[in-house]
């Protein structure tokens, strides 16, 4: 019989999502001259992330909003509007009440998307790695290879490769970050990233080149990262995926379970 996640577990999963993006944005902000124009600000429990040069919503997001932050909504909205930036609220069920949702709707925001937050104890990992796929962590001088998989696997243009390489290379020496590449015939074919903080590991990113999809690469990258997290002493693995996506199916197949479905709220 499957047990529902406890309130404590929901908080741990939510904190893992906030922690890895905060550390990532701090690292990017710390590049000489802060070339991406990163700003980070807190309003109560809410963490506001902003980048001047990276307009994608994942870099312009409000995380950690709770019911107690109702009085901060206008300040949060002004933070982004004063910078002429479209942004999103990520809402975790159980942490925000109807009053906050009504206030968002009154201010012109609507529920625009759903996203799964998945979890597992690494002791519950299913399957055994052994299908011949070569996976290894990358060195500091290999981020160009990582960035090619990142961009081409997610549909970003090749001109973004130098920026993606630079914004991830700064994470290399920061505690907790590990970057993995899966190889097919000695060529980079898929990538995955992990951030471990205290006893929680977040599987923060994954991508596969189109020509190498449906070869089991992501399942093997999941297993490798979870095994490494277990060896590092983590007792919780967390990750995110789109509902019923291939990533969702891969995570379920190796033993991950649905923690909650968070919603995204964007401005009309």
């Amino acid at each position: 019989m499957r047990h529902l996640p406890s309130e404590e577990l929901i908080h741990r999963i939510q904190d893992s999502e906030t922690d890895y993006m905060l550390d990532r944005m701090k690292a990017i902000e710390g590049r000489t001259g802060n070339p991406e124009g990163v700003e980070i600000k807190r309003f109560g429990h809410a963490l506001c992330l902003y980048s001047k040069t990276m307009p994608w919503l994942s870099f312009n997001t409000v995380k950690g909003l709770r019911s107690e932050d109702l009085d901060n909504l206008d300040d949060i909205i002004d933070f982004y509007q004063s910078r002429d930036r479209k942004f999103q609220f990520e809402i975790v069920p159980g942490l925000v009440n109807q009053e906050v949702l009504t206030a968002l709707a009154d201010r012109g925001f609507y529920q625009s998307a759903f996203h799964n937050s998945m979890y597992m104890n690494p002791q519950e990992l299913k399957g055994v790695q052994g299908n011949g796929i070569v996976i290894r962590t990358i060195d500091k001088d290999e981020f160009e290879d990582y960035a090619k998989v990142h961009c081409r696997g997610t549909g970003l243009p090749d001109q973004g490769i130098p920026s993606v390489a630079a914004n991830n290379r700064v994470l290399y020496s920061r505690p907790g970050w590990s970057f993995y590449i899966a190889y097919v015939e000695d060529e980079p074919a898929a990538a995955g990233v992990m951030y471990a903080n205290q006893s929680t590991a977040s599987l923060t990113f994954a991508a596969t080149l189109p020509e190498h999809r449906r070869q089991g690469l992501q399942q093997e990258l999941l297993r490798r990262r979870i095994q490494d997290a277990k060896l590092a002493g983590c007792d919780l693995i967390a990750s995110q995926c789109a509902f019923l996506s291939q990533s969702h199916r891969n995570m379920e197949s190796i033993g991950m379970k649905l923690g909650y479905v968070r919603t995204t709220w964007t401005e009309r």
Side-chain angles (χ1 to χ4, degrees):
M1 178 179 177
R2 180 181 170 185
H3 297 285
L4 294 175
S6 65
E7 183 176 348
E8 177 188 3
L9 178 56
I10 288 174
H11 280 286
R12 284 189 69 186
I13 297 170
Q14 194 273 333
D15 287 346
S16 74
E17 296 181 23
T18 300
D19 290 346
Y20 86 76
M21 273 304 295
L22 175 60
D23 199 72
R24 173 181 286 279
M25 294 296 276
K26 282 183 175 179
I28 296 172
E29 181 185 33
R31 290 177 57 195
T32 302
N34 189 13
E36 307 291 0
V38 169
E39 293 183 52
I40 302 167
K41 191 171 180 64
R42 284 193 181 272
F43 296 91
H45 299 98
L47 174 69
C48 298
L49 304 173
Y50 163 83
S51 170
K52 183 177 181 180
T53 63
M54 297 185 291
W56 304 285
L57 289 174
S58 59
F59 293 101
N60 297 275
T61 295
V62 181
K63 292 178 172 285
L65 188 74
R66 298 187 186 179
S67 299
E68 306 93 293
D69 299 315
L70 176 62
D71 291 339
N72 295 317
L73 276 185
D74 290 330
D75 289 334
I76 292 171
I77 293 169
D78 181 68
F79 173 77
Y80 290 98
Q81 289 185 342
S82 65
R83 291 159 176 77
D84 194 27
R85 176 51 44 86
K86 187 177 179 65
F87 70 104
Q88 65 184 14
F89 287 91
E90 292 182 356
I91 302 297
V92 175
L95 301 186
V96 170
N97 59 23
Q98 185 176 355
E99 190 176 4
V100 172
L101 300 179
T102 300
L104 286 173
D106 289 343
R107 287 159 175 77
F109 289 81
Y110 70 102
Q111 183 181 315
S112 58
F114 298 93
H115 213 66
N116 290 354
S117 289
M118 309 290 288
Y119 76 98
M120 73 179 301
N121 185 307
Q123 302 287 348
E124 301 169 343
L125 179 63
K126 295 179 182 178
V128 178
Q129 187 172 354
N131 60 2
I133 294 173
V134 175
I135 297 173
R136 63 180 179 84
T137 56
I138 67 174
D139 294 325
K140 193 171 185 178
D141 60 354
E142 295 177 300
F143 273 89
E144 195 80 9
D145 288 340
Y146 166 81
K148 288 178 183 177
V149 176
H150 183 125
C151 290
R152 294 171 183 173
T154 57
L156 292 173
D158 277 4
Q159 54 259 44
I161 289 173
S163 179
V164 169
N167 285 336
N168 284 279
R169 189 179 293 111
V170 295
L171 300 172
Y172 181 79
S173 59
R174 293 178 75 87
W177 288 96
S178 299
F179 290 79
Y180 300 79
I181 290 182
Y183 294 84
V184 173
E185 297 180 354
D186 297 325
E187 292 295 325
V193 186
M194 181 172 73
Y195 175 66
N197 182 27
Q198 298 181 30
S199 59
T200 301
S202 294
L203 311 182
T204 69
F205 176 81
T208 303
L209 295 178
E211 62 269 28
H212 292 298
R213 289 173 185 162
R214 301 192 181 281
Q215 297 178 22
L217 298 176
Q218 285 303 328
Q219 285 193 25
E220 295 309 312
L221 279 164
L222 285 168
R223 289 193 181 95
R224 170 63 186 274
R225 287 177 287 172
I226 292 168
Q227 289 167 348
D228 285 359
K230 178 182 175 181
L231 292 174
C234 295
D235 63 9
L236 176 66
I237 308 295
S239 193
Q240 301 81 45
C241 61
F243 183 67
L244 293 185
S245 63
Q246 187 60 47
S247 294
H248 187 178
R249 299 175 197 279
N250 288 337
M251 291 179 191
E252 289 268 2
S253 71
I254 55 91
M256 299 192 78
K257 301 179 286 290
L258 179 65
Y260 53 79
V261 179
R262 62 171 165 80
T263 59
T264 300
W265 288 64
T266 52
E267 196 170 14
R268 292 187 181 92

